[in-house]
Amino acid sequence: MESDLNLFNLPDELLLDFEPGLAEKISQRLEKFIVADDVQIADVTPHYGLLTVQGQKASQVVNAVGLATDGVTGKVRSIVKISDAMLGDIYLANQPRISSGTEKTGFDIFVPNNSLGAVADKLIAAAKNVGGRACGWTAFETARIEAGIPRFGADMDETNLPMECGIEQSAMNFNKGCYIGQEVLNRVHTIGHVNKELRGLRLADDLQTLPQKNDKLFYNGKEIGYITSAVKSPALNATIALGYVRREANQIGTELTLRTAAGDGAVKIVELPFVKS
């Protein structure tokens, strides 16, 4: 995996959205494989910022600031370009980021930097009117982990296969034409399993400190996996984590031992998304 990205299909362009800091690397990767196609790759990160509105009332908030969601409500990752004389060209995308199951609601809004503050202020005001508020990074990450959604750079990187991360349904197609890595992925798909998979982990209530990335997991005294993300969830009143566990011990309900710098603790594999017990 070079990255995990969202691909938005516009009439005359494709918009690629991925984790910060990867623009140069991904651009070089794509340039390397452009042979005869009439394609230009442009890095727009210096010119645009990203705002996101998430939650069951996200449509109300976005519509309240004059960005009609009618054109993007039917399909996840559908996108429209909205040209505004004052704000510039804004891209509105259907993109639930921190929800799972059937109640997926959220929108990404790509805004020119000069208009970013003005649009953000309008969205925050509209959110307050329906009981919402501005969200910081810690709260956003907490909600992501609660939903069991892996993030590139935190829970997956160049060492992972997509099937290990649980993203094959949204990120892969086994029927399309040739692409780099296709043989490896099809072979895994044919065999039917990978050696480790991302799992939801509920940590012991008496855990004093959060585990760190790469803290080890053990089963019957044998190292069996490692932590990728961990958080204390106020909504669940529990400490939860995401991590990889080898297939011989990654069934739901299996109890593991977490080894940290502060000592050992109990861990139980649970269903994703996490639910309050």
Side-chain angles (χ1 to χ4, degrees), residues 203-212 215 230 232 239 258 260-263:
L203 282 57
D205 293 336
D206 59 357
L207 188 73
Q208 298 299 312
T209 59
L210 277 178
Q212 300 298 305
D215 277 351
K232 175 69 175 177
T239 302
L258 167 66
T260 71

Side-chain angles (χ1 to χ4, degrees), residues 148-263:
I149 300 171
R151 180 168 65 84
F152 193 84
D155 308 291
M156 46 188 175
D157 57 28
E158 297 88 345
T159 67
N160 291 115
L161 297 169
M163 297 86 113
E164 295 174 342
C165 315
I167 63 171
E168 63 270 23
Q169 295 299 319
S170 61
M172 296 180 62
N173 187 327
F174 292 101
N175 300 315
K176 66 176 290 185
C178 294
Y179 57 88
I180 304 299
Q182 182 189 35
E183 290 184 5
V184 173
L185 297 182
N186 277 341
R187 188 158 63 246
V188 174
H189 184 60
T190 301
I191 293 172
H193 67 80
V194 287
N195 291 328
K196 65 179 185 292
E197 292 177 285
L198 194 70
R199 288 290 184 262
L201 305 167
R202 193 172 185 114
L203 282 57
D205 293 336
D206 59 357
L207 188 73
Q208 298 299 312
T209 59
L210 277 178
Q212 300 298 305
K213 184 178 175 69
N214 294 323
D215 277 351
K216 304 303 183 185
L217 297 165
F218 292 82
Y219 180 69
N220 289 339
K222 178 183 177 182
E223 185 178 322
I224 205 76
Y226 55 93
I227 298 288
T228 57
S229 294
V231 70
K232 175 69 175 177
S233 167
L236 302 174
N237 192 28
T239 302
I240 57 175
L242 298 175
Y244 288 96
V245 185
R246 289 189 61 84
R247 63 187 301 265
E248 59 263 34
N250 67 13
Q251 293 74 33
I252 303 300
T254 302
E255 295 187 355
L256 308 174
T257 299
L258 167 66
R259 184 160 298 166
T260 71

Side-chain angles (χ1 to χ4, degrees), residues 23-236:
E24 182 177 358
K25 175 184 176 182
I26 302 302
S27 295
Q28 291 175 353
R29 176 75 170 179
L30 295 174
E31 292 276 10
K32 181 179 179 180
F33 293 101
I34 293 175
V35 181
D37 302 288
D38 186 13
V39 170
Q40 266 191 324
I41 296 174
D43 179 7
V44 298
T45 51
H47 312 295
Y48 272 80
L50 171 62
L51 302 170
T52 190
V53 183
Q54 302 291 322
Q56 294 181 358
K57 297 181 180 179
S59 294
Q60 290 176 245
V61 173
V62 175
N63 284 319
V65 302
L67 300 174
T69 61
D70 294 351
V72 296
T73 51
K75 185 180 179 182
V76 172
R77 278 181 287 279
S78 56
I79 188 169
V80 292
K81 180 179 178 180
I82 301 168
S83 296
D84 185 280
M86 295 293 292
L87 301 175
D89 290 337
I90 294 175
Y91 296 87
L92 173 66
N94 183 332
Q95 180 62 0
R97 285 185 173 268
I98 55 173
S99 54
S100 57
T102 57
E103 299 297 324
K104 292 185 177 182
T105 309
F107 299 92
D108 278 358
I109 308 168
F110 299 91
V111 183
N113 284 338
N114 292 339
S115 305
L116 199 59
V119 176
D121 289 343
K122 290 181 180 180
L123 289 170
I124 292 170
K128 286 181 178 178
N129 287 335
V130 295
R133 59 176 296 175
C135 171
W137 180 251
T138 300
F140 189 87
E141 276 290 275
T142 299
R144 175 189 71 80
I145 295 168
E146 288 170 348
I149 300 171
R151 180 168 65 84
F152 193 84
D155 308 291
M156 46 188 175
D157 57 28
E158 297 88 345
T159 67
N160 291 115
L161 297 169
M163 297 86 113
E164 295 174 342
C165 315
I167 63 171
E168 63 270 23
Q169 295 299 319
S170 61
M172 296 180 62
N173 187 327
F174 292 101
N175 300 315
K176 66 176 290 185
C178 294
Y179 57 88
I180 304 299
Q182 182 189 35
E183 290 184 5
V184 173
L185 297 182
N186 277 341
R187 188 158 63 246
V188 174
H189 184 60
T190 301
I191 293 172
H193 67 80
V194 287
N195 291 328
K196 65 179 185 292
E197 292 177 285
L198 194 70
R199 288 290 184 262
L201 305 167
R202 193 172 185 114
L203 282 57
D205 293 336
D206 59 357
L207 188 73
Q208 298 299 312
T209 59
L210 277 178
Q212 300 298 305
K213 184 178 175 69
N214 294 323
D215 277 351
K216 304 303 183 185
L217 297 165
F218 292 82
Y219 180 69
N220 289 339
K222 178 183 177 182
E223 185 178 322
I224 205 76
Y226 55 93
I227 298 288
T228 57
S229 294
V231 70
K232 175 69 175 177
S233 167
L236 302 174

